[in-house]
Amino acid sequence: MFVLFQVYYQNKLKLAIIGQSVFGQEVYSSLKKQGHKVVGVFTVPDKDGKADPLAVAAEKDGTPVFKFPRWRVKGNPIPEVVDTYKAVGADLNVMPFCSQFIPMNIIDHPKHGSIIYHPSILPLHRGASAINWTLIQGDRKAGFTVFWADDGLDTGPILLQRECAVEPNDTVDTLYNRFLFPEGIKAMVESVQLIADGKAPKVPQTEEGASYEGIQKKSNAKVNLSQPAEAIHNWIRGHDKVPGAWTLINGLPVTLYGSSMLGGSAPAGQALEIEGAPQPALVTKSGLVLYGSDGKALVVKNLQFDDGKMIPASKYFSSGDTSSVELTDEEKKMAEEIRNIWMGILSNVPAVEDTTDFFKCGAASMDVVRLVEEVKQKCAGVQLQNEDVYMATTFQDFIQMFVRKLRGEDQEEELVVDYVKVNSMTLKMPHQCFINGKFEDAENGKSYNTINPTDGSVICKVSYASVGDVDRAVAAAKEAFDNGPWGRMNPRDRGSLLYKLADLMEEHQEELATIESIDSGAVYTLALKTHVGMSIQTFRYFAGWCDKIQGKTIPINQARPNRNLTFTKREPLGVCAIVIPWNYPLMMLAWKSAACLAAGNTLVLKPAQVTPLTALKFAEISVKAGIPKGVINILPGSGGMVGQRLSDHPDIRKLGFTGSTPIGKQIMKSCALSNLKKVSLELGGKSPLIIFSDCDMDKAVRMGMSSVFFNKGENCIAAGRLFVEESIHDEYINRVVEEIKKMKIGDPLDRSTDHGPQNHKAHLDKLLEYCEVGLKEGATLVYGGRQVDRPGFFMEPTVFTNVEDHMFIAKEESFGPVMVVSKFPDGDVDGVLRRANDTEYGLASGVFTRDINKAMHVSERLEAGTVFINTYNKTDVASPFGGFKQSGFGKDLGELHQTKAQGKTCVKVICSG
């Protein structure tokens, strides 16, 4: 132990950090956490009284901070600066990002010299705009280099390099945030440790393939439109967001943001002449379509004018290139009438000028109602809401808003849905990402097939969201929370929207149930009653909670003599991420998102990759319900990409996940390491069901089968193991097998079907392997265990007996229609409880007995979040749901404050039949 302790400190260095920015701050903090001693931080002077982030972090830690305006004058080092630097006694200079010229006698002074981070794969793209040029030149790979500083410009020996693929629509921001920033921090820390351990390489840079490009500024960022479309796209994204590629429209400079290549033909739009373009651009619903010299096209989403105003490119003609509309004579008369209304309300103001602010002049919420109603009375036909006043608080802005409404220019763009139809059915199903109130293809254009488990056929192609899509969705949700109407909405009005959403889901319940059945394999009758029915109930229940989220007043010792008061408020967290499983696609969406929305949060939801369709249909319904754009965002795609980015994203404040325990642990780790975001986890289970000999046998058989075979066994609270008292064991098994033989296996859309297909092929294969393991370990296969001989992913309901405690199938969850039965000696209550609790999971459990004392004793001793007594699968929206141990923590459903704010106590639900 002493030797290890000694080595730990031998392998740590004294460091000087030279640089600036958040990147520099993160490198500094990470190196300190690794045990290195930072003896000095050398950064830039404060700007407008504000210190650089690196300086802020170092000063907070008590690390010496030096803010030199410059290190040299007329090419010569400043002696006082050099002496101050040398006095700290660093072993190594670490330069994560440095905009100053550092003299060579500083670079070479430490024992180990200096290392620098550069955001390109050197020797390619030497210079200060490396990320920009990586994109401008259309490189397929990006990356960074940690190199040893020398007297050249980014020419020193290479210590370490990392690379990543460039996505088709990457920008400087997305590339930096996805890879260069987080991986760069890790690489700098790794490099320092390699140096400390004496293992750091020095690989000379080759001049083959070397390039140097100048700094990109606004003045040289004008787009050359007489080149191929991909080159134009690369130029725009290579300058997005800084410095911003621009062109001239009607003689005025306009900056272009959010470029992507256009696949297929351009949508209909209005022509717009742009200087230097080979043909007119088109202003379409998707944005501004630009054509290259090769006839191919790209689309630009946002435009920014010289005054800083940014608009969606699709709004170019309706919004105009200035911030105001010209009023007609009739509109001017209306404006004066409205001015008089303002004067009547703001009686303390001598005159209402264009710049008069309604609220700064003392107006309150009742004045808002009065203003809206008076204007509507004077100007019949205009659709004005209270919210409009809050969005346009000055008289000039109010008149502009009013006139646009009067002309119909501000009408919400109709939701465009690119439906797919299933075979000959008339189902209309969205299949694209839903971001900021719109359906759109994934940023990278990728898609994948979603499969019908009934016959293995392709239902449709679904957009395969990228990391860039996650970032856009989170940004939309953050904007909706920070600045949109959702965050300012009265809670009761928010509840009204959720009630409307529930009503619309009910109107579409048969369509939703059909989609759910086709996409997940759920039997239609179960999909209608449970998958969809409970989803509707969930939204109605939480709609009622919106205006009942209350705080407390707290007596304190300091109340007198100053009459101090302490009170608490319950506030929304902000942007929440939700990652749901494939067994109950719509119901899990409802369980997670209804409470989240009721509390005033916005969300980004990732449905399971194999079952995305009801989530996307829900998104369409949410628009019809009037949920503001950006509040709900749905991203189909992979957990490894979309789910991981949601876990890592710094703007997400809470993540709710339902799925496996190993993935839950990974999510929890990522959430902690990123920004310590809150998590709630509903994870794996191996729920025990104990059946005593004094049970109601008919009920125990019926409910015992339901506990295993409900929803084809794809049920998180399914009874993973049945313990049957020895004296009734054989009778119980015989009766179960008799009932299984009566079950109809078939098409889930057939209303008489009892048992549908498993959700997807990979899951069916795992279930078959699970059964093979059970047989090999010596369990008795009484029934089933095979795939049904028909197209699709059907499995026979299966029963194993003589299952011993050490066996794999006794310990691990099948998540399928597999009944695992063990017998226990008559009267051995304590023994069976020990066996039932001998698991790392604790999601649910059950007991069947006519003895109420025994039932209560067993329910108290079972270590699970829910205990069913003489029933099973009886969940309700008003009852909290969640597990113990490695089944996770946090509750879905139940009172909203329990759902979103967990205390120290464990909630156990006792459900008696």
Side-chain angles (χ1 to χ4, degrees):
M1 178 63 73
F2 175 75
V3 173
L4 289 173
F5 186 84
Q6 202 173 35
V7 168
Y8 176 82
Y9 280 97
Q10 284 176 349
N11 291 343
K12 302 300 171 184
L13 299 176
K14 292 187 292 183
L15 307 175
I17 309 293
I18 304 176
Q20 63 207 74
S21 77
V22 174
F23 184 69
Q25 173 196 337
E26 291 294 330
V27 170
Y28 160 80
S29 299
S30 298
L31 288 169
K32 285 204 66 173
K33 288 177 184 175
Q34 290 296 316
H36 297 285
K37 182 175 178 59
V38 179
V39 294
V41 165
F42 299 84
T43 187
V44 293
D46 297 356
K47 186 176 181 181
D48 298 326
K50 186 176 181 182
D52 183 82
L54 172 57
V56 172
E59 287 169 345
K60 185 178 179 181
D61 292 340
T63 301
V65 176
F66 307 91
K67 302 176 182 180
F68 301 137
R70 62 189 64 82
W71 290 73
R72 59 185 187 174
V73 175
K74 296 182 179 180
N76 296 314
I78 302 172
E80 297 84 359
V81 172
V82 173
D83 290 343
T84 302
Y85 162 77
K86 288 182 177 179
V88 302
D91 299 325
L92 173 70
N93 292 331
V94 178
M95 303 168 68
F97 170 71
C98 183
S99 62
Q100 297 175 310
F101 287 100
I102 310 301
M104 284 308 298
N105 60 340
I106 300 294
I107 295 290
D108 294 335
H109 178 74
K111 176 172 62 175
H112 295 294
S114 304
I115 60 170
I116 303 177
Y117 170 90
H118 184 78
S120 78
I121 308 171
L122 291 175
L124 193 62
H125 305 311
R126 293 168 177 165
S129 294
I131 313 176
N132 304 77
W133 285 103
T134 297
L135 296 171
I136 291 169
Q137 296 195 350
D139 295 353
R140 300 302 179 192
K141 290 182 180 179
F144 57 80
T145 304
V146 179
F147 68 97
W148 300 90
D150 64 3
D151 58 357
L153 185 62
D154 304 330
T155 57
I158 293 170
L159 191 160
L160 179 151
Q161 287 185 322
R162 297 282 185 270
E163 63 180 42
C164 70
V166 177
E167 297 288 341
N169 295 318
D170 262 333
T171 64
V172 174
D173 280 355
T174 61
L175 193 54
Y176 185 71
N177 293 331
R178 183 179 82 246
F179 184 79
L180 300 176
F181 180 86
E183 296 303 319
I185 294 164
K186 297 176 188 175
M188 289 298 283
V189 174
E190 182 182 347
S191 298
V192 170
Q193 194 58 54
L194 285 170
I195 295 169
D197 294 339
K199 299 177 181 178
K202 289 188 177 182
V203 180
Q205 283 195 47
T206 175
E207 289 303 306
E208 184 179 347
S211 66
Y212 171 82
E213 296 91 7
I215 296 175
Q216 285 306 100
K217 301 177 181 178
K218 194 74 174 182
S219 58
N220 60 9
K222 186 180 179 183
V223 186
N224 174 11
L225 296 172
S226 60
Q227 55 182 333
E230 187 173 0
I232 298 171
H233 164 61
N234 287 337
W235 183 269
I236 294 171
R237 69 187 182 125
H239 293 80
D240 189 343
K241 294 285 193 245
V242 177
W246 57 277
T247 188
L248 292 175
I249 302 178
N250 293 328
L252 298 174
V254 178
T255 305
L256 313 173
Y257 294 110
S259 170
S260 59
M261 293 299 293
L262 183 66
S265 57
Q270 188 172 349
L272 176 64
E273 293 289 342
I274 298 182
E275 181 182 296
Q279 67 183 83
L282 286 177
V283 177
T284 73
K285 289 183 177 181
S286 301
L288 178 66
V289 175
L290 299 172
Y291 291 92
S293 58
D294 56 355
K296 295 181 180 179
L298 60 141
V299 61
V300 172
K301 291 196 172 179
N302 296 308
L303 306 176
Q304 187 174 37
F305 302 104
D306 240 12
D307 61 1
K309 179 190 176 189
M310 183 180 286
I311 64 166
S314 60
K315 300 288 187 183
Y316 179 81
F317 285 115
S318 59
S319 177
D321 58 359
T322 66
S323 60
S324 62
V325 294
E326 189 76 24
L327 273 60
T328 65
D329 290 341
E330 187 63 31
E331 288 166 348
K332 288 177 181 177
K333 290 178 183 177
M334 290 184 180
E336 288 309 309
E337 290 182 4
I338 293 173
R339 193 188 300 273
N340 291 333
I341 295 173
W342 275 55
M343 283 292 297
I345 297 172
L346 305 176
S347 56
N348 59 322
V349 177
V352 172
E353 309 291 346
D354 285 352
T355 56
T356 300
D357 189 289
F358 193 66
F359 296 102
K360 288 180 181 178
C361 292
S365 57
M366 278 305 299
D367 299 315
V368 172
V369 177
R370 176 181 167 184
L371 174 60
V372 169
E373 295 306 316
E374 283 199 55
V375 172
K376 286 164 67 175
Q377 188 177 38
K378 283 276 185 184
C379 311
V382 68
Q383 296 298 313
L384 203 61
Q385 305 293 330
N386 293 355
E387 194 60 38
D388 296 322
V389 184
Y390 294 101
M391 299 292 284
T393 61
T394 66
F395 181 75
Q396 179 176 316
D397 290 344
F398 185 86
I399 292 301
Q400 289 288 309
M401 175 273 298
F402 168 81
V403 170
R404 286 196 173 99
K405 281 186 172 291
L406 200 63
R407 296 178 182 181
E409 291 180 5
D410 76 320
Q411 291 178 0
E412 281 290 319
E413 187 177 314
E414 184 180 349
L415 179 67
V416 178
V417 185
D418 183 17
Y419 291 119
V420 294
K421 291 188 177 181
V422 181
N423 300 329
S424 60
M425 302 181 71
T426 58
L427 289 176
K428 292 181 177 180
M429 298 185 296
H431 62 102
Q432 298 163 293
C433 300
F434 183 72
I435 301 173
N436 204 25
K438 294 181 180 179
F439 286 105
E440 51 190 54
D441 291 337
E443 190 177 63
N444 55 20
K446 292 182 180 179
S447 62
Y448 68 96
N449 294 330
T450 186
I451 305 298
N452 185 342
T454 302
D455 57 9
S457 63
V458 175
I459 302 171
C460 64
K461 285 191 175 294
V462 177
S463 291
Y464 190 80
S466 68
V467 169
D469 295 312
V470 177
D471 292 342
R472 290 190 301 117
V474 173
K478 190 173 189 301
E479 175 66 18
F481 181 80
D482 291 341
N483 302 313
W486 190 253
R488 297 188 300 273
M489 190 177 292
N490 181 297
R492 200 162 295 168
D493 293 339
R494 191 162 63 238
S496 296
L497 287 180
L498 294 183
Y499 276 124
K500 186 176 181 182
L501 177 58
D503 291 343
L504 283 169
M505 290 173 70
E506 191 167 49
E507 284 182 27
H508 290 267
Q509 62 180 332
E510 293 182 355
E511 185 179 15
L512 286 166
T514 304
I515 296 172
E516 190 92 335
S517 186
I518 290 170
D519 203 24
S520 76
V523 170
Y524 176 84
T525 49
L526 177 66
L528 185 65
K529 180 180 182 296
T530 301
H531 289 232
V532 178
M534 194 171 186
S535 300
I536 296 166
Q537 291 176 29
T538 303
F539 275 101
R540 285 208 174 112
Y541 176 79
F542 283 109
W545 269 106
C546 288
D547 60 354
K548 301 172 185 66
I549 306 170
Q550 301 158 353
K552 297 178 181 179
T553 56
I554 304 171
I556 58 173
N557 287 342
Q558 294 81 13
R560 294 180 181 180
N562 295 324
R563 300 183 183 278
N564 293 330
L565 172 69
T566 298
F567 64 92
T568 63
K569 290 178 64 181
R570 293 184 180 273
E571 297 181 343
L573 293 167
V575 182
C576 296
I578 296 172
V579 180
I580 57 174
W582 42 258
N583 57 329
Y584 293 103
L586 186 63
M587 194 172 81
M588 290 295 99
L589 177 152
W591 280 27
K592 298 288 185 190
S593 63
C596 176
L597 294 170
N601 300 292
T602 57
L603 63 88
V604 180
L605 182 141
K606 192 201 87 66
Q609 185 172 340
V610 291
T611 53
L613 296 180
T614 43
L616 294 172
K617 189 67 180 179
F618 168 82
E620 180 191 352
I621 293 171
S622 74
V623 175
K624 294 179 180 178
I627 305 295
K629 67 177 184 179
V631 173
I632 295 171
N633 303 273
I634 310 288
L635 297 176
S638 78
M641 184 185 297
V642 176
Q644 185 61 52
R645 179 56 180 156
L646 290 172
S647 301
D648 293 336
H649 203 291
D651 288 333
I652 290 172
R653 296 302 171 195
K654 181 169 184 178
L655 189 147
F657 170 75
T658 296
S660 72
T661 297
I663 299 298
K665 290 179 178 180
Q666 177 61 41
I667 285 175
M668 191 173 176
K669 179 180 178 181
S670 297
C671 288
L673 292 176
S674 55
N675 61 338
L676 209 63
K677 59 177 64 72
K678 293 174 178 285
V679 291
S680 61
L681 305 173
E682 196 251 282
L683 306 175
K686 187 67 175 173
S687 302
L689 174 58
I690 303 173
I691 301 175
F692 289 100
S693 58
D694 61 351
C695 67
D696 178 333
M697 180 63 82
D698 291 341
K699 194 173 189 180
V701 170
R702 186 175 69 255
M703 291 291 183
M705 290 182 63
S706 174
S707 75
V708 177
F709 303 130
F710 188 82
N711 199 47
K712 309 125 26 180
E714 295 166 354
N715 185 19
C716 52
I717 58 172
R721 192 175 181 194
L722 274 65
F723 294 93
V724 182
E725 202 159 8
E726 191 166 15
S727 59
I728 62 166
H729 174 272
D730 292 349
E731 178 190 357
Y732 185 84
I733 296 301
N734 290 336
R735 290 190 58 174
V736 165
V737 172
E738 288 175 12
E739 294 301 316
I740 289 175
K741 291 176 180 177
K742 300 174 185 176
M743 292 172 65
K744 179 179 178 180
I745 302 173
D747 185 348
L749 291 176
D750 183 336
R751 303 315 193 247
S752 64
T753 295
D754 298 304
H755 189 80
Q758 305 308 135
N759 187 277
H760 52 282
K761 178 67 163 58
H763 182 53
L764 173 63
D765 292 342
K766 286 182 180 178
L767 288 172
L768 296 173
E769 184 181 350
Y770 184 91
C771 293
E772 288 176 10
V773 171
L775 278 171
K776 288 177 181 177
E777 287 191 329
T780 302
L781 178 62
V782 176
Y783 193 88
R786 298 183 299 272
Q787 182 175 355
V788 178
D789 185 17
R790 58 169 292 160
F793 311 140
F794 293 85
M795 181 173 179
E796 296 174 336
T798 299
V799 179
F800 277 102
T801 60
N802 297 321
V803 177
E804 298 178 14
D805 294 352
H806 68 274
M807 292 180 177
F808 175 82
I809 64 173
K811 294 180 176 294
E812 297 300 324
E813 181 180 27
S814 72
F815 212 65
V818 182
M819 182 179 283
V820 175
V821 185
S822 300
K823 66 178 69 172
F824 66 95
D826 290 352
D828 187 11
V829 177
D830 291 339
V832 75
L833 278 169
R834 279 194 301 273
R835 296 171 70 190
N837 288 328
D838 185 21
T839 172
E840 279 301 304
Y841 302 110
L843 189 57
S845 59
V847 55
F848 279 82
T849 176
R850 285 191 171 95
D851 185 336
I852 186 62
N853 291 323
K854 186 192 296 181
M856 295 309 297
H857 171 72
V858 170
S859 69
E860 289 172 3
R861 293 278 303 279
L862 284 169
E863 298 169 357
T866 299
V867 182
F868 297 106
I869 300 176
N870 294 328
T871 188
Y872 211 89
N873 288 325
K874 297 296 182 184
T875 54
D876 187 88
V877 295
S879 179
F881 180 91
F884 295 172
K885 299 190 283 190
Q886 291 200 48
S887 288
F889 51 82
K891 298 293 180 184
D892 293 321
L893 308 180
E895 293 184 23
L896 191 55
H897 62 83
Q898 287 185 355
T899 306
K900 306 311 288 182
Q902 296 306 313
K904 293 182 180 177
T905 58
C906 295
V907 177
K908 179 183 284 190
V909 177
I910 310 296
C911 181
S912 179

